[in-house]
Amino acid sequence: MYPAGSVDEITELVSETNSDVLEAHLGGQVLQSADIPFGAGEIIGVVVALIILTIVFRSLLPALIPIVTAIVGVGVSMLALVALSAGIDIPSVTTALGAMLGLAVGIDYALFILSRHRDQLSQGDDVHESIGKALATSGSAVIFAGMTVIIALVGLFITGIPFLTVMGVAAAATVALSVVVALTMLPAIMGILGERLRPRRIRRLMAENDGALPAPDPQATPPRSIGRTWVRLVTKVPALTILIVVVGVGALAIPIKDLELALPDLGTEPQGTAARDTYDVVAEEFGPGYNGPLLVTADIINTTDPLGVVDELESDVAALDDVRRDPDGDPQPGSRYGCGGRHPRGRAHRSVHQGPGGGAARQRRGLGA
């Protein structure tokens, strides 16, 4: 841990050091952003979701409800994560994963129940009776779907990697909270809004018939709808539909072959921040690989020739393509592990130090102790 305000003090010192002859940059993981990621991208996503829901429901009021419940669930879960971080080490990417999953499942689960409630209101059901039926039917589907996601996330325990375990548990807790919000807060909102969630056309019909829908005409042709037309279209030739879906999904998956996975580092920080500027300067001056050192460790406790083991490991690593050797040191007596660093090869450069005679001597390279 470092004292509060130390980063500001160091930043000020670095700023004062800048001059016409010296350009100073401050970097390091201490500058990496750990803020809850809810910026322009998330806001745009929420707005797009609101527009789509408004089109589906043909009304703004019911479209707002899933957005509100999802944001409430994410907000509470993020506050809980921030509170827990006072005593537990929580990776900064955990908040990103939690916010992303919370918004997705929060909107989805609320939509399950609200859509069923609106359908029942369209059939003339009483508001409170419809809320109970929606919870008994779609609510059980929400619980099942939530449990499936929670089990999958908690399954990250299997990896045995502590920070992945923390991420999985935190994300699972966010999903669980979204389920709770959908089963508690959502019904309360539906009860408060009452008849306003019933489609206007149905409200007018019920008002004209003393609060009840008129009996449907058995001879009348069912009204055509987009949903009914779509179902008829995709089920007319099922084999063709399956083929189109498989080919389409396969085409969308083509970019996966060029996907490069990595954990976020200072290179993922926003442009213009001190951490990102330093990262870019180091990559420009020392080569792209200098920001990605590789730490190599070897258990040498069970060998009678630790130096030979380390030398052999050094030779094997140095023989790899695009690997540049770094300064080394031999394992210390009594040490169990041999440890060394390697950088992916970037722009070639040479490190030197002053020799005993005052001349520049080439620095010895290899595995460090």
Side-chain angles (χ1 to χ4, degrees):
M1 296 295 291
Y2 50 88
S6 59
V7 175
D8 294 335
E9 294 176 7
I10 296 174
T11 303
E12 185 177 352
L13 289 173
V14 172
S15 300
E16 294 173 353
T17 305
N18 275 305
S19 64
D20 295 336
V21 296
L22 177 63
E23 182 179 342
H25 292 269
L26 178 62
Q29 291 185 347
V30 72
L31 297 179
Q32 192 164 356
S33 174
D35 297 335
I36 295 176
F38 202 87
E42 286 74 16
I43 293 175
I44 292 173
V46 169
V47 171
V48 170
L50 178 60
I51 293 173
I52 294 174
L53 291 175
T54 302
I55 295 173
V56 171
F57 285 125
R58 301 180 182 179
S59 177
L60 179 61
L61 184 60
L64 281 171
I65 297 175
I67 304 295
V68 171
T69 56
I71 292 176
V72 169
V74 169
V76 174
S77 62
M78 292 300 103
L79 290 175
L81 281 177
V82 172
L84 288 174
S85 65
I88 302 174
D89 291 335
I90 297 178
S92 58
V93 293
T94 303
T95 54
L97 179 63
M100 202 164 44
L101 281 175
L103 283 175
V105 301
I107 294 175
D108 194 23
Y109 296 163
L111 194 56
F112 278 173
I113 298 174
L114 181 61
S115 179
R116 176 60 66 91
H117 177 57
R118 289 261 299 176
D119 287 344
Q120 291 168 171
L121 291 179
S122 299
Q123 297 170 9
D125 286 9
D126 176 73
V127 171
H128 293 90
E129 181 181 350
S130 175
I131 293 174
K133 289 167 63 176
L135 287 179
T137 53
S138 296
S140 60
V142 166
I143 295 174
F144 181 81
M147 289 300 298
T148 303
V149 178
I150 291 169
I151 292 172
L153 291 171
V154 174
L156 289 174
F157 268 113
I158 298 174
T159 63
I161 303 175
F163 87 92
L164 284 180
T165 299
V166 173
M167 287 175 57
V169 172
T174 302
V175 173
L177 188 58
S178 298
V179 173
V180 172
V181 170
L183 297 177
T184 55
M185 180 180 176
L186 176 60
I189 293 176
M190 293 191 300
I192 291 173
L193 295 178
E195 290 290 338
R196 281 177 288 180
L197 291 179
R198 197 185 300 273
R200 292 180 181 178
R201 181 178 62 85
I202 303 300
R203 270 185 282 171
R204 287 197 298 267
L205 285 175
M206 294 180 66
E208 294 170 358
N209 292 272
D210 298 327
L213 280 179
D217 184 1
Q219 304 297 325
T221 303
R224 299 186 65 180
S225 65
I226 296 177
R228 183 177 290 106
T229 303
W230 174 255
V231 170
R232 288 177 178 174
L233 176 64
V234 298
T235 57
K236 188 174 183 179
V237 185
L240 179 60
T241 301
I242 294 173
L243 179 62
I244 293 175
V245 171
V246 170
V247 172
V249 172
L252 293 175
I254 290 176
I256 292 179
K257 65 183 180 62
D258 297 321
L259 182 64
E260 297 180 0
L261 301 177
L263 294 174
D265 57 13
L266 298 181
T268 62
E269 292 296 299
Q271 293 278 0
T273 59
R276 178 61 182 273
D277 290 345
T278 302
Y279 182 94
D280 293 339
V281 168
V282 170
E284 179 182 353
E285 298 298 331
F286 292 92
Y290 205 84
N291 280 314
L294 307 175
L295 183 64
V296 182
T297 61
D299 190 345
I300 57 176
I301 194 66
N302 294 320
T303 179
T304 57
D305 184 18
L307 295 180
V309 170
V310 173
D311 288 340
E312 182 180 357
L313 177 61
E314 177 185 354
S315 300
D316 292 342
V317 175
L320 298 174
D321 295 335
D322 298 325
V323 172
R324 183 179 62 77
R325 301 173 63 189
D326 276 351
D328 71 341
D330 295 330
Q332 299 298 319
S335 174
R336 174 171 181 173
Y337 294 100
C339 178
R342 286 292 183 272
H343 286 91
R345 188 180 298 279
R347 187 189 308 173
H349 69 282
R350 176 176 295 180
S351 299
V352 298
H353 70 277
Q354 291 297 113
R362 184 176 178 182
Q363 188 171 359
R364 183 167 175 262
R365 302 188 177 204
L367 284 174

